[in-house]
Amino acid sequence: MDSLQLMLDGFRLVSAPVNLLCCFIGVVIGTLIGVLPGIGPVATMAILLPFTFSLTPVAAIIMLAGIYYGAQYGGSTTSILVNIPGEVGSIITCLDGYQMGRQGRAGSALGISAIGSFVGGTLGVIGLAVLCPPLAQVALNFGPPELFALILFGLMMVSSLGGDSLPKALLMTAVGLFVSLIGKETFTGFNRFTFNSITLSDGLGLVPVSMGMFGISEILSNVEMAAKQKVIKTDIKSLFAWREWIACRWAVLRGTVVGFFIGILPGAGAVMTTFFAYWLEKRVSKHPEKFGTGVIEGVASPETANNSATAGSMIPLLALGVPATPTMAMLMGALIIQGVQPGPLFITQYPDLFWGVIASMYLGNVMLLILNLPLIGIWVRILKIPYALLFPLITLFCIVGVYSLNSNVYEIVIMIIFGLFGYILRKFKYPLTTFLLGMVLGPMMETSFRQSLGIGRGNLAIFFQRRFSGVLLCLVGIVLLVSLVLSLRRQKRKFVEELT
Amino acid sequence: MKNREAGMAVFWILLGTTIAVWSSTFPFGNLEDPGPGYFPAAMGIIIAVIGILLLVQSRKTENANGGAPLTPRASRGPAVRRVVLYLAAMTACTVFLEILGFALAMFLMILFMMRTIAPQRWRTAVFYSLVSALGSLFLFKILLKTQLPSGFLRF
């Protein structure tokens, strides 16, 4: 009953014109960047972060969350029409979505992906509202050792699932943690790695670093490729293929459940969620051999799953204070900048913010459904904007965003340096996502580690004396071992293939 | 070095070692009350150790493909030129941002990018750069009251 009342309060909060407008702007920008290949939600959130500083925390988070789930809606458009996923969560949609487009059934594919996204998004938010508060209640008993173990577990999961190479993912996590340590240390005020620079003594800001690593490096990669895309000419008028929609209702429901629960796992991300949803759909299908040739269930299930996962991935952040994905790490950074610390106390300390965000996600999903079905024609036209016109404008936004933080040109220099760094890392296939998570969680990890040692009077066994942290650290060991074995096997197979 | 992956691994080893050595100059404290040098030293060691692991892996790959360089195909010729020009444009814009002012610096940066990186006709490039620079000036400086440099033109 209490939750219902709080939810109603959330809706009341969201219905304030400013919050409604922010939700609308967020989902429109999200859909737009989802449609446009070459710019993802993490980069967009990084670019727009400085512009949210003047907003209230509720409005800022509503807008940024809107970008996140809006991008999942928009990502399918390019997969279906261009065979280029607008978003990583839409990679698998290319398989059947593009084939449907080539067969003149693009309208049907776009329609089911919008409906599936709506169902997945809405049911996922209900799951979030139900699961988050009790989980946060449990997490209230956590002390520094549990928090440290939880962060380590999250980082390890993301690293082990986040890329082809485990050592590279772990290395990027460590580099991210190191970057977060630059500047004045919180316990004693000691300056670390600052070269006596005032800019560096404040620490490397999340905005310039993430804008560089994700925004500028993405532009550099695209500028290098000078890629051009062709939009297929197909029928996008027949959006309402009711018979097909009804036929894949179970695929939508399966996608919702799979997306939500896999989305909760740290590091699972949209790719794994959608691939698993697709795999499951193929397994239960009566005609698995037809998958990849334009089967509507092959679009419905993953497109539902990636939206349901957005709600699931918010649970670790809002209930435990540990982001499960890089996008959630950006959202966490935004909350911290706004003076709000996500974690077990988040729901009790900021009930208006929590329920406001949940209510905004319901409304946002309705907005997206309205935006996506009738406006598909406009999104298709936007797809035709040449990248040559887009990248100078994105660069301009990056410069304004970073400069407006502290009116400090050195922060633009930091952005350029990290842009180049990110570009090089992309070339060598280092996962940037684990870097970002390391950078966001670094200060919290160091603090909880040092506090834990203080509590345990210097005895490292403190981490195993507490049941929860002990179990988590054992899991960390198991995850590391399994990932290492799998990674070595992969390497061995690759090595043999190269030899033969 | 033929194998670029190995070069990258050496970079990580050097970075990790530098971090670890530098951290050892910070107060270390003890296990009961760890100082500011503790955590970064651990990070430095981890980076260096993984760097060594990557170096070993890259040597294996090098032996497998006969020491052929793993140079990405696109990173040559015009592609490298576009990347260098883009970085040069951004750097120059940053250096002259406060002298020229936001609008003029943005106009010149976009014009440069549109003429050199993704070549457009002069008329298109000038029009687009002008609209972008003035439009963003109006949006950010006048509407959103963002602090942006005015430069010698004072706008």
Side-chain angles (χ1 to χ4, degrees):
Chain A
M1 198 61 200
D2 267 359
S3 295
L4 198 67
Q5 185 56 43
L6 287 163
M7 175 69 88
L8 287 174
D9 289 344
F11 274 107
R12 213 167 294 138
L13 189 71
V14 176
S15 58
V18 178
N19 295 337
L20 266 182
L21 183 69
C22 284
C23 184
F24 180 73
I25 293 172
V27 295
V28 170
I29 294 176
T31 311
L32 185 69
I33 56 115
V35 168
L36 292 169
I39 178 161
V42 182
T44 312
M45 282 165 86
I47 292 166
L48 290 179
L49 202 55
F51 303 109
T52 62
F53 293 170
S54 54
L55 300 170
T56 60
V58 178
I61 303 308
I62 284 175
M63 192 169 102
L64 293 173
I67 293 172
Y68 179 35
Y69 56 84
Q72 308 303 326
Y73 268 74
S76 58
T77 310
T78 37
S79 295
I80 293 164
L81 297 176
V82 198
N83 202 22
I84 296 172
E87 246 326 290
V88 285
S90 298
I91 292 172
I92 202 86
T93 310
C94 289
L95 290 181
D96 284 281
Y98 187 65
Q99 290 303 325
M100 283 180 77
R102 289 183 64 181
Q103 293 160 14
R105 293 158 59 213
S108 178
L110 289 166
I112 193 63
S113 73
I115 290 287
S117 299
F118 174 74
V119 174
T122 313
L123 294 180
V125 174
I126 294 173
L128 171 65
V130 171
L131 273 186
C132 217
L135 194 63
Q137 207 62 36
V138 173
L140 275 175
N141 301 320
F142 287 2
E146 284 85 359
L147 190 62
F148 175 79
L150 194 65
I151 294 171
L152 193 65
F153 176 70
L155 287 175
M156 202 53 69
M157 283 291 283
V158 175
S159 302
S160 58
L161 298 172
D164 291 340
S165 160
L166 178 69
K168 282 183 177 178
L170 287 174
L171 185 111
M172 288 319 295
T173 310
V175 174
L177 287 169
F178 160 69
V179 166
S180 76
L181 302 176
I182 294 172
K184 213 176 276 289
E185 184 248 350
T186 45
F187 281 73
T188 58
F190 187 85
N191 273 323
R192 296 187 288 200
F193 315 106
T194 58
F195 299 96
N196 294 325
S197 149
I198 297 168
T199 306
L200 287 181
S201 75
D202 284 341
L204 286 172
L206 179 66
V207 176
V209 172
S210 57
M211 263 195 199
M213 287 288 269
F214 290 88
I216 300 298
S217 73
E218 212 158 90
I219 295 175
L220 283 170
S221 300
N222 290 327
V223 159
E224 183 196 346
M225 297 298 174
K228 287 172 187 164
Q229 66 258 16
K230 260 189 175 173
V231 181
I232 54 163
K233 283 183 182 160
T234 180
D235 170 33
I236 55 164
K237 284 173 195 151
S238 57
L239 290 166
F240 299 95
W242 299 103
R243 199 182 290 174
E244 280 194 304
W245 287 7
I246 292 165
C248 54
R249 62 192 181 282
W250 296 115
V252 167
L253 283 176
R254 276 190 290 268
T256 304
V257 176
V258 165
F260 182 75
F261 285 104
I262 295 189
I264 297 174
L265 296 175
V271 179
M272 191 196 265
T273 311
T274 48
F275 273 70
F276 188 76
Y278 187 85
W279 171 83
L280 182 71
E281 210 47 51
K282 203 172 167 181
R283 284 294 294 251
V284 299
S285 171
K286 286 175 188 159
H287 44 80
E289 73 288 349
K290 286 186 182 167
F291 272 69
T293 61
V295 177
I296 195 160
E297 288 92 339
V299 176
S301 185
E303 278 304 314
T304 308
N306 68 21
N307 270 74
S308 173
T310 57
S313 65
M314 280 197 167
I315 291 178
L317 173 69
L318 299 181
L320 308 173
V322 177
T325 63
T327 328
M328 286 299 107
M330 279 310 301
L331 207 61
M332 182 171 173
L335 281 165
I336 292 169
I337 289 168
Q338 290 276 0
V340 177
Q341 181 66 48
L345 290 171
F346 176 75
I347 300 173
T348 40
Q349 279 181 342
Y350 308 97
D352 50 340
L353 185 52
F354 175 74
W355 293 102
V357 171
I358 299 237
S360 81
M361 287 174 79
Y362 279 114
L363 285 181
N365 275 299
V366 177
M367 284 181 192
L368 281 165
L369 188 68
I370 298 167
L371 271 174
N372 270 268
L373 283 179
L375 300 184
I376 278 171
I378 293 175
W379 301 126
V380 172
R381 237 169 280 155
I382 286 169
L383 250 178
K384 291 173 183 166
I385 298 175
Y387 196 70
L389 297 183
L390 280 179
F391 82 86
L393 216 55
I394 300 171
T395 311
L396 183 150
F397 270 88
C398 288
I399 292 174
V400 174
V402 171
Y403 187 83
S404 63
L405 287 175
N406 301 309
S407 302
N408 185 353
V409 282
Y410 292 109
E411 290 195 316
I412 306 179
V413 176
I414 291 171
M415 177 178 75
I416 297 172
I417 292 169
F418 275 92
L420 181 63
F421 185 50
Y423 166 71
I424 295 167
L425 293 175
R426 275 171 197 263
K427 290 201 94 54
F428 286 92
K429 296 194 168 66
Y430 281 85
L432 302 186
T433 49
T434 56
F435 170 89
L436 185 66
L437 280 179
M439 192 185 165
V440 171
L441 291 173
M444 213 177 9
M445 193 174 179
E446 187 191 13
T447 306
S448 58
F449 177 72
R450 288 168 72 173
Q451 282 174 342
S452 303
L453 285 181
I455 293 168
R457 295 181 182 274
N459 190 354
L460 284 165
I462 182 76
F463 294 108
F464 293 94
Q465 283 162 357
R466 306 273 193 115
R467 202 184 304 160
F468 186 76
S469 63
V471 169
L472 276 181
L473 288 179
C474 288
L475 283 175
V476 166
I478 293 168
V479 169
L480 191 65
L481 208 70
V482 171
S483 311
L484 210 66
V485 170
L486 290 175
S487 181
L488 282 173
R489 267 193 199 170
R490 221 172 15 233
Q491 288 287 330
K492 200 176 167 186
R493 208 168 38 233
K494 227 171 166 181
F495 183 65
V496 171
E497 275 169 16
E498 276 164 4
L499 277 176
T500 49
Chain B
M1 193 171 288
K2 280 181 182 175
N3 190 332
R4 289 185 177 213
E5 286 280 358
M8 201 66 185
V10 170
F11 167 76
W12 295 124
I13 296 168
L14 290 176
L15 180 74
T17 313
T18 311
I19 294 168
V21 172
W22 197 348
S23 305
S24 67
T25 64
F26 302 159
F28 236 70
N30 51 45
L31 263 178
E32 197 171 335
D33 184 20
Y38 233 93
F39 210 67
M43 287 308 121
I45 294 167
I46 291 171
I47 292 169
V49 168
I50 302 176
I52 294 169
L53 198 73
L54 285 171
L55 184 66
V56 174
Q57 269 188 359
S58 67
R59 301 299 295 181
K60 276 187 185 173
T61 320
E62 194 180 349
N63 291 337
N65 61 21
L70 296 174
T71 318
R73 241 188 321 151
S75 67
R76 295 191 199 110
V80 171
R81 186 177 160 269
R82 281 196 294 272
V83 169
V84 171
L85 284 172
Y86 178 80
L87 286 171
M90 268 197 90
T91 311
C93 175
T94 309
V95 171
F96 295 108
L97 186 67
E98 290 186 331
I99 303 163
L100 297 175
F102 172 76
L104 189 57
M106 288 303 134
F107 170 75
L108 292 173
M109 183 191 77
I110 297 175
L111 184 67
F112 179 80
M113 285 178 177
M114 293 190 74
R115 284 295 302 159
T116 56
I117 300 166
Q120 308 286 318
R121 280 183 303 178
W122 268 108
R123 200 185 297 173
T124 314
V126 170
F127 175 75
Y128 188 78
S129 314
L130 203 63
V131 169
S132 304
L134 292 178
S136 57
L137 184 77
F138 177 74
L139 175 69
F140 295 116
K141 202 164 184 179
I142 297 168
L143 274 184
L144 296 172
K145 310 266 183 242
T146 309
Q147 287 291 318
L148 294 171
S150 301
F152 70 94
L153 291 173
R154 307 221 167 272
F155 73 89

